[in-house]
Amino acid sequence: MNKPRVAILIDAENIPHHCCDEIMRQAQFLGQICARRVYGNDFSWTSWSSHAGKHALKHISTHHESVGRKNAADISLMLDAVSLAHSGQYDAMCLVSNDGDFLQMVLHLREQGFKVFGLGTQVAAHQLRNALDRFMLLETQE
């Protein structure tokens, strides 16, 4: 049986960069990781960039005109998640965030029959945790 094709979408403005190795370790058990994207502004990317080569992460930056706008990276992540889900190339999504603002996106994807897993820290929104097919806790030790 083929492993499910999984896209990992990381909210770099919400999850600490030192969790990267653990994110990739836990995500490998979800299936074949086919997309690895990190969303954030240039400031958040500075700390994440050291992990890019090691884990083949693709940085999705907010555009210069979006810098300073609240939720610009979240909106980019949500648009990509829905687009990737409807492309037919993936079987599941792994959202890495603590942000409850992703609740409606998760509900939409699950209503469409798409599997959505989540990774986050202790402070992850409870509504988001409950909406996911499965939530996995990240250790936050530096």
Side-chain angles (χ1 to χ4, degrees), residues 26-71:
Q26 288 196 40
Q28 73 181 342
F29 297 109
L30 300 174
Q32 179 185 359
I33 308 305
C34 299
R36 302 161 189 233
R37 298 182 182 182
V38 180
Y39 297 80
N41 58 32
D42 291 338
F43 178 75
S44 62
W45 178 246
T46 301
S47 60
W48 275 88
S49 63
S50 63
H51 301 283
K54 180 178 180 182
H55 295 292
L57 302 173
K58 179 180 179 181
H59 178 221
I60 308 297
S61 178
T62 52
H63 296 290
H64 295 297
E65 63 270 12
S66 298
V67 174
R69 290 189 183 171
K70 184 173 172 24
N71 294 328

